[in-house]
Amino acid sequence: MLNLLYLIPALPLAGFLVLAVRGSHFSKTALAFIGAGSVGLSAAVAILVGASFFIAPPPDHAFTQTLWIWMQFDGYSPSVSFSLDPLSLIMVLVITIVGFLIHLYSTEFMLDEEGYSRFFAYMNLFVSSMLILVLADNLLLLYLGWEGVGLCSYLLIGFWYKDPANGGAARKAFIVTRIGDTAMALGIFLLFTHFGTLHIQDLMLSAAKQWPVGSGPAVLAAALLLGGALGKSAQLPLQTWLPDAMAGPTPVSALIHAATMVTAGVYLIARTHVLFELAPVVQTAVAVLGAATLLLAGCSALVQRDIKRVLAYSTISQIGYMFLALGVGAWSAAIFHFMTHAFFKALLFLAAGVVILAQNHEHDMFKMGGLRYHLPVTFLTFLIGAASLSALPLVTAGFYSKDLILWYVWSSPAGDMGLWLAGIIGAFITALYAFRMVIITFMGRTKMEVSHRPRLRMIVPLVILAVLSIIGGFVEMPRTLGNMPLFSNFLYPVFGGPIAADSTINGEGTLQIGASLVSLAGIFMATLFYLIRPAYVKTVTSITLFENIRKYWLAGWGFDALYDRILVRPFLWFARINANDIIDSGYTGIAYLNKMMHSTFSKTQTGNLRWYAMGIAIGAVVFLGMVVIIK
């Protein structure tokens, strides 16, 4: 069954090719079957392959399938090879299953939109590229998938390209992520220069043997790979593209923000964790950047009016938690939170899409209200997603994954009190903005009539994701609640054993209670300020200082304005004054010379035969004279 591995990325790719070449010839029903069906088949194959891997694990818990030699140069022959181990298997299952649910939802959501076949072609290519990224056994093939998802993000964010703002958002995402991608490419060149291979496992073994901990090449290689991860995963200082990516259709936001592109950076660091262990200063930077990002993005989410921008900043914040876990060496905890986050964040985006359709494409939460009566299933599933995002104790998947991160940040040798406090404060902010969103959107009086009610193809994905957002956390039960670390044990062949220095069960239980109370306090504060006593919000925002802070957070802490001032404007100024630089002058001169010669020679074309005969005679005399002189 493992030999079917190649079909997992091949099926969505085949769907893309069919839709790209012949999509205009199919009905919308056929397009839906091809687009969603190819990803559904990929998910089915992934489940079969995963079952085979669980039942009869291959030697060393790793299976490699080489399809062909990609290219040959200077004695190096990179191949198109896929590698399946516990880490890549988890990524593949989440990408295909969540991706299929989003595709199924999209068959109804996009039904009345132009470019139906184009949409599914882009989505299929996106899924295929992400699967290539996580299955690649060498960094060159990984980079191909990496750039593939970058291209598709540009195409999907700018899907409604007739609106110039959407095109601007797409270009912004493409350019900002290219900064990180350039750093990553340099890191790949550095690794190849030192080791002569790009095979990931060989690189990790060679680096561990040849580079001492803290050595310059190890630090530089890890820092360059971190640059790529920061761009794709929208972490400080390259986070500015993600909120504007909401210009794309809602299923695109769910796909980009839940299971695919933004988690590519998390996967890259986890896959090359050996390099980061050899560069402790860079690994610490991962933790610090993650902690700072989760706080800054959480504060911005707290003041947004657009329901999708709340979720966008929430994604940035939650990936900050994953980076925080990676930075303290809690590799399996980061991947665990990736999985649970994929469930509840996809659920929240898709439920938000139902709300937006029902409210005539309105995104402003403050123009909504009372929707719990009109969209009861959507309300219930959205509530479950918000509860999981808020880490509601004991009953949600988000509680178990976030609790595991906070425990390792506290107990790991690489963790400290400051990082743990950042995580705790972030948990409070998360619960506050999550239930602020629920209350404003669904509670209170009805402000707009419901213009669209979801049918089965939109409801089924919501229900399935809601169930996963609850039961998904039970695969990693802490010692205080049964001690069944199934998820961490499964990843043991990739990451090794636990990293906690403080192993006392009482300490872990105390931290769990504290984190739970913080999350509950955030939910209570949201209920108090936005449901019981909404006048309190007006009182707070009437204070000039707090209103200025609100505007600052609303603008994403001013990063766009800062980058516009120190990067964009100087670049445009230099481009204007350099429009006629010396290189352009050279090309212009060649063109001018050609025009001048054309003008001169055209004057000889008079149409008079006597002038032509004389020209021939003169030419013959000159030619014969040259022959005589040379002899």
Side-chain angles (χ1 to χ4, degrees):
M1 194 63 71
L2 294 179
N3 290 325
L4 298 178
L5 181 64
Y6 74 96
L7 288 175
I8 298 175
L11 287 168
L13 183 60
F16 159 73
L17 293 174
V18 172
L19 292 169
V21 176
R22 302 288 295 176
S24 60
H25 295 78
F26 295 122
S27 67
K28 287 191 173 182
T29 301
L31 292 172
F33 270 107
I34 296 170
S38 59
V39 178
L41 288 174
S42 177
V45 174
I47 292 170
L48 291 175
V49 169
S52 177
F53 192 97
F54 277 109
I55 295 169
D60 298 324
H61 289 81
F63 170 77
T64 301
Q65 184 178 54
T66 301
L67 301 180
W68 64 82
I69 300 298
W70 188 1
M71 61 186 83
Q72 293 181 330
F73 59 91
D74 196 23
Y76 180 59
S77 303
S79 61
V80 176
S81 299
F82 297 135
S83 179
L84 188 70
D85 64 1
L87 174 59
S88 57
L89 178 57
I90 289 170
M91 300 293 293
V92 163
L93 289 172
V94 171
I95 292 166
T96 54
I97 293 172
V98 175
F100 168 66
L101 293 174
I102 294 171
H103 273 71
L104 178 61
Y105 174 97
S106 302
T107 60
E108 181 182 336
F109 185 90
M110 298 296 294
L111 195 58
D112 297 326
E113 300 290 342
E114 293 183 19
Y116 198 68
S117 63
R118 177 167 57 91
F119 174 81
F120 281 106
Y122 293 164
M123 292 279 277
N124 279 29
L125 182 60
F126 200 126
V127 172
S128 179
S129 297
M130 189 66 190
L131 290 169
I132 290 171
L133 190 160
V134 300
L135 286 172
D137 82 329
N138 64 81
L139 287 179
L140 192 60
L141 186 59
L142 185 152
Y143 195 71
L144 175 68
W146 187 275
E147 291 301 314
V149 296
L151 169 64
C152 293
S153 70
Y154 167 78
L155 296 172
L156 287 166
I157 293 168
F159 179 78
W160 289 315
Y161 58 88
K162 293 181 181 179
D163 185 344
N166 297 342
R171 290 192 299 273
K172 182 178 181 180
F174 194 80
I175 292 169
V176 172
T177 54
R178 288 294 77 73
I179 297 170
D181 295 353
T182 303
M184 180 181 171
L186 293 174
I188 292 174
F189 293 148
L190 174 64
L191 291 170
F192 183 77
T193 301
H194 276 80
F195 302 114
T197 183
L198 290 176
H199 186 271
I200 297 173
Q201 295 306 317
D202 291 345
L203 279 175
M204 298 304 104
L205 291 173
S206 298
K209 290 179 181 178
Q210 298 181 30
W211 285 347
V213 175
S215 62
V219 170
L220 181 57
L224 290 170
L225 293 183
L226 173 60
L230 293 176
K232 273 291 188 288
S233 292
Q235 298 293 283
L236 285 169
L238 300 178
Q239 82 286 1
T240 56
W241 67 269
L242 195 58
D244 290 345
M246 297 301 95
T250 299
V252 171
S253 303
L255 192 63
I256 290 177
H257 294 190
T260 53
M261 180 173 167
V262 293
T263 56
V266 176
Y267 172 78
L268 176 67
I269 295 176
R271 175 57 72 193
T272 59
H273 67 278
V274 173
L275 284 178
F276 288 86
E277 290 174 340
L278 294 173
V281 63
V282 179
Q283 189 173 345
T284 300
V286 173
V288 172
L289 288 171
T293 304
L294 74 89
L295 289 176
L296 267 64
C299 290
S300 289
L302 194 57
V303 298
Q304 300 299 313
R305 297 177 63 94
D306 185 324
I307 188 171
K308 286 178 65 177
R309 287 183 75 88
V310 175
L311 295 174
Y313 278 110
S314 171
T315 296
I316 298 173
S317 182
Q318 294 305 302
I319 295 176
Y321 272 104
M322 299 176 207
F323 269 64
L324 178 59
L326 294 170
V328 300
W331 316 109
S332 60
I335 301 303
F336 184 35
H337 195 57
F338 149 77
M339 183 185 74
T340 62
H341 176 264
F343 298 151
F344 62 70
K345 188 53 63 67
L347 169 60
L348 288 168
F349 267 111
L350 297 185
V354 173
V355 170
I356 290 168
L357 274 186
Q359 301 287 271
N360 294 305
H361 296 277
E362 178 60 62
H363 287 218
D364 190 338
M365 297 183 297
F366 287 88
K367 295 180 180 179
M368 304 174 187
L371 293 177
R372 71 185 186 278
Y373 302 115
H374 306 285
L375 301 170
V377 176
T378 303
F379 167 62
L380 180 60
T381 54
F382 194 95
L383 182 63
I384 291 172
S388 192
L389 171 61
S390 304
L392 187 68
L394 303 179
V395 295
T396 61
F399 164 75
Y400 294 98
S401 59
K402 192 173 291 186
D403 174 74
L404 190 63
I405 291 174
L406 293 174
W407 164 242
Y408 280 134
V409 170
W410 175 272
S411 61
S412 165
D416 64 27
M417 176 69 75
L419 295 174
W420 180 81
L421 282 175
I424 284 292
I425 295 170
F428 173 79
I429 295 172
T430 301
L432 183 55
Y433 71 66
F435 275 82
R436 167 185 179 265
M437 181 170 51
V438 171
I439 292 167
I440 294 172
T441 305
F442 291 95
M443 304 297 184
R445 63 181 180 83
T446 301
K447 300 175 184 176
M448 295 178 62
E449 293 298 324
V450 172
S451 61
H452 180 276
R453 296 185 186 277
R455 295 189 292 272
L456 204 57
R457 283 180 289 173
M458 292 176 70
I459 290 295
V460 168
L462 296 184
V463 174
I464 294 174
L465 288 169
V467 172
L468 292 174
S469 296
I470 295 174
I471 67 172
F474 297 149
V475 297
E476 182 74 16
M477 300 296 289
R479 292 176 301 167
T480 55
L481 296 170
N483 192 24
M484 289 190 298
L486 304 178
F487 193 87
S488 297
N489 289 343
F490 180 66
L491 287 173
Y492 180 85
V494 181
F495 299 127
I499 58 167
D502 178 8
S503 60
T504 61
I505 191 170
N506 290 334
E508 185 175 359
T510 302
L511 291 177
Q512 283 175 349
I513 294 172
S516 299
L517 292 175
V518 165
S519 295
L520 292 173
I523 296 172
F524 170 75
M525 290 296 291
T527 306
L528 176 65
F529 274 82
Y530 295 97
L531 186 62
I532 301 174
R533 294 286 187 272
Y536 289 175
V537 177
K538 295 181 181 179
T539 302
V540 171
T541 54
S542 65
I543 301 173
T544 304
L545 174 62
F546 290 116
E547 176 60 14
N548 290 336
I549 292 174
R550 187 194 69 82
K551 291 179 180 178
Y552 190 56
W553 289 355
L554 185 65
W557 295 75
F559 276 93
D560 279 318
L562 175 65
Y563 292 161
D564 183 67
R565 180 165 298 180
I566 68 174
L567 295 175
V568 177
R569 292 182 188 178
F571 180 83
L572 293 177
W573 172 81
F574 181 76
R576 283 193 296 269
I577 67 172
N578 197 41
N580 298 314
D581 62 7
I582 188 170
I583 296 176
D584 288 343
S585 299
Y587 295 134
T588 304
I590 293 172
Y592 177 77
L593 179 62
N594 281 311
K595 289 173 63 177
M596 185 179 67
M597 293 175 65
H598 165 75
S599 178
T600 301
F601 288 130
S602 66
K603 292 178 181 179
T604 65
Q605 307 300 310
T606 63
N608 193 323
L609 291 177
R610 289 177 296 176
W611 284 100
Y612 293 165
M614 184 178 70
I616 293 171
I618 292 172
V621 170
V622 172
F623 179 75
L624 291 173
M626 291 174 61
V627 171
V628 171
I629 291 172
I630 291 173
K631 287 185 175 181

